[in-house]
Amino acid sequence: MAANRSAGRDVHIYDSRDPDIVLGGLILTNGVTNANFYSMVEVFLLFDSDYVLRHEAGMVVTRDDQALRRGKYYIVTEGTITVNNEPWLVRTVSVSSGTRVAEFRDGVRQRDRRCIITGRSAMNARGSWTGFEAAHIFPVAYEGYWIQRNYDRWITIRPNNGGSINSVQNGLLLDSGVHPLFDNYDVSINPDDNHKVVWFNTDTHGTAGNYVDFGGDECRPVNQLLRWHFRQAVLANMRGAGEPVFEVDFPPRSDVMGEIMQGPMAAERMEFELFSRLESH
């Protein structure tokens, strides 16, 4: 059974004219400001007129750097509010392997040498990278989508093989415990707020609100891809009741295919699993 992303929300969003219907919400973690909240709301809701957010306590929320409060928020506007139908790409835990992505893995390791989210140093990198994984920001399983939308235009450092989607500019080194959380959109990086770490679920590593310093390295991840991932995280976690969270722990001899087909978004999940395996070779 897929987990419910709306469980545990302590921030809820309504249209003030129809306060019985929840438009979305958020599990609030450290570092989310009022200004951040406005910008995230504008990812999954579209407005044709000016609006403000009013907290249930009665005050109008300003776009400032004050910490967001828990509670109910009501959108006040004379215009219409439309839920953005921007696609959310089904994604589950993926660790690609094979010669096609070996250059990507090695390049990300040598550039970062630490988990980008937690800051934990790869102290044994001289001989072992156990506990660290090179993660794609935009999933390699959707290379067709990447090509169709010309995301290639953001890449300036191209790998010798594997296509532009395997550029180090589309990668991050992550702790092996953080990688599945990043793939699941539980945590992301907001490039439009000085690369702030934003958790959309319980902050299990105490890094919510921290900032990532990529320095001036020309090989660093490009902001456009970090922005894509952040938007996907907002859509997955804040729009409506949120998107499904899929089971990924299949014991030996379990009916993996059967469990996937009985779960939510089965066709999309199967497509992702298939292309994840094809694209890694």
Side-chain angles (χ1 to χ4, degrees), residues 108-150:
V108 169
R109 284 175 173 176
Q110 293 306 315
R111 182 197 63 201
D112 293 342
R113 307 188 69 84
R114 74 194 191 284
C115 172
I116 290 298
I117 298 294
T118 67
R120 183 169 76 91
S121 174
M123 298 180 65
N124 295 319
R126 60 188 178 276
S128 172
W129 291 89
T130 302
F132 293 88
E133 295 168 357
H136 285 83
I137 301 168
F138 186 97
V140 70
Y142 290 113
E143 188 168 16
Y145 190 99
W146 168 281
I147 294 170
Q148 182 182 24
R149 284 158 178 77
N150 193 29

Side-chain angles (χ1 to χ4, degrees), residues 30 39 62 78-79 91 100 160 201 235 263 266:
N30 289 340
S39 65
T62 57
E78 295 182 356
R91 185 173 187 176
R100 190 168 183 266
N160 293 319
N201 205 335
L235 294 171

Side-chain angles (χ1 to χ4, degrees), residues 11 26 28 32-34 37 40 61 65-70 73:
V11 172
L26 175 69
L28 186 59
V32 178
T33 67
N34 292 334
F37 189 49
M40 290 192 288
V61 180
D65 291 331
Q66 294 296 312
L68 184 70
R69 297 176 58 183
R70 292 173 172 79
Y73 288 82

Side-chain angles (χ1 to χ4, degrees), residues 243-281:
E243 300 294 345
V245 178
F246 300 104
E247 179 61 73
V248 296
D249 185 9
F250 298 108
R253 299 183 181 180
S254 60
D255 182 9
V256 177
M257 184 81 69
E259 287 200 41
I260 290 176
M261 294 307 297
Q262 292 175 15
M265 302 179 71
E268 293 88 345
R269 173 87 188 271
M270 285 300 299
E271 181 179 14
F272 177 85
E273 297 290 348
L274 173 63
F275 282 101
S276 290
R277 287 157 177 73
L278 290 176
E279 294 295 345
S280 65
H281 298 287

